[in-house]
Amino acid sequence: MNKFSKQEASGRGLRDEFADAIIAGVPLLTAVPEKCHAACRTFTRDVGTTLLCERQVVEGWWRDIALRLPRIRAHSIPSAAIYPHQIR
């Protein structure tokens, strides 16, 4: 997704789409301005990884995710068992 910014930090914008992806266990890569970083970490309940905005760092993250994704999905909680209002 494009970015988590002031709209998402205030509960608007693509916030629901971010929540849907998180609940579904979809790897999500987005930009977060420094001024919105705390709001993003609160929204995700501090789950996730903060990366440097450098190509080799992002590619390394993706390689790691791609290797772990089948294992993550095999052990994920069905979305019906998650209460979306807790993340939204």
Side-chain angles (χ1 to χ4, degrees), residues 31-88:
V32 180
E34 187 65 37
K35 65 184 176 186
C36 297
H37 191 257
C40 184
R41 298 305 286 184
T42 299
F43 171 69
T44 63
R45 292 197 173 78
D46 214 27
V47 171
T49 303
T50 301
L51 304 173
L52 290 174
C53 189
E54 296 179 5
R55 183 181 180 133
Q56 65 273 21
V57 173
V58 173
E59 288 175 349
W61 170 83
W62 180 248
R63 279 191 302 276
D64 182 55
I65 288 293
L67 291 172
R68 292 186 300 129
L69 195 54
R71 195 171 54 236
I72 291 168
R73 288 198 173 142
H75 293 80
S76 69
I77 299 170
S79 59
I82 300 173
Y83 299 104
H85 69 276
Q86 291 179 340
I87 204 164
R88 291 179 188 191

